[in-house]
Amino acid sequence: MPARAHDGDAGVDLCTAVDVTIEPGERVLVGTGVALALPLGTVGLVHPRSGLAARSGLSIVNTPGTIDAGYRGEIKVCLINHDPREAIDLRRGDRIAQLVVQRVELVDFVEVDDLDETSRGTRGYGSSGGHAGLERAGAQTAEVGA
Ligand SMILES: O=c1ccn([C@H]2C[C@H](O)[C@@H](COP(=O)(O)OP(=O)(O)OP(=O)(O)O)O2)c(=O)[nH]1
Ligand SMILES: [Mg+2]
């Protein structure tokens, strides 16, 4: 069963159901052996575990993974080894991720011609002030279609 390490923890730990070795830079989809029926209006978010991330470079490609309330299949985790040199050996039963269950708003979308005005308007992506180091380096991300 998914379990909290301590009372009040937000996340319940998920374990790998298989033995696996992840080479540096490699990703692998592993089963957890867990299937759930989450209450409608909630979502399960699959987050990395910070200890494993710091110690070995283990993370999740699509972090946080989204577990829909209607999903009845096995929760799987797309693990990635960010360490540039060392492989990560995992054994069945090792805790690899944590599931956080949160309430979500299931809003309906309505098409409109105009949006209301706000002080932010269309400004985003660092418009309120950037990181000094980045500005010095002149770092740019190419925007397709700009
Ligand atoms: O880390 C994850 C992410 C997703 N899922 C399962 C549960 C989720 O409800 C379903 C779909 O996930 P998502 O919507 O993120 O993937 P998609 O690529 O959009 O697939 P789909 O077309 O099935 O929605 O896959 C997992 O088991 N682990
Ligand atoms: Mg989807």
Side-chain angles (χ1 to χ4, degrees):
M1 286 293 284
R4 287 189 170 76
H6 300 283
D7 290 348
D9 281 0
V12 292
D13 288 329
L14 296 171
C15 305
T16 173
V18 291
D19 296 345
V20 66
T21 298
I22 314 174
E23 298 297 332
E26 193 189 21
R27 63 180 188 270
V28 63
L29 190 62
V30 302
T32 63
V34 170
L36 294 172
L38 292 171
L40 192 66
T42 68
V43 63
L45 299 175
V46 182
H47 291 271
R49 296 184 64 222
S50 57
L52 277 174
R55 276 201 304 278
S56 63
L58 185 72
S59 191
I60 298 172
V61 176
N62 57 312
T63 177
T66 303
I67 309 301
D68 297 293
Y71 181 66
R72 296 292 176 269
E74 180 186 18
I75 296 177
K76 295 181 180 173
V77 183
C78 193
L79 295 171
I80 185 162
N81 178 0
H82 282 308
D83 192 276
R85 286 172 293 274
E86 300 289 325
I88 300 173
D89 281 319
L90 297 171
R91 294 284 161 260
R92 177 180 163 85
D94 286 347
R95 294 175 295 156
I96 50 161
Q98 55 186 322
L99 181 75
V100 177
V101 179
Q102 291 183 214
R103 272 195 284 272
V104 289
E105 297 294 333
L106 300 176
V107 298
D108 292 320
F109 293 89
V110 178
E111 191 172 351
V112 295
D113 292 326
D114 296 296
L115 299 173
D116 63 327
E117 291 192 8
T118 67
S119 65
R120 176 176 282 277
T122 59
R123 289 182 291 274
Y125 285 88
S127 66
S128 65
H131 178 274
L134 278 180
E135 275 162 19
R136 268 199 306 280
Q140 287 287 320
T141 302
E143 185 175 352
V144 176

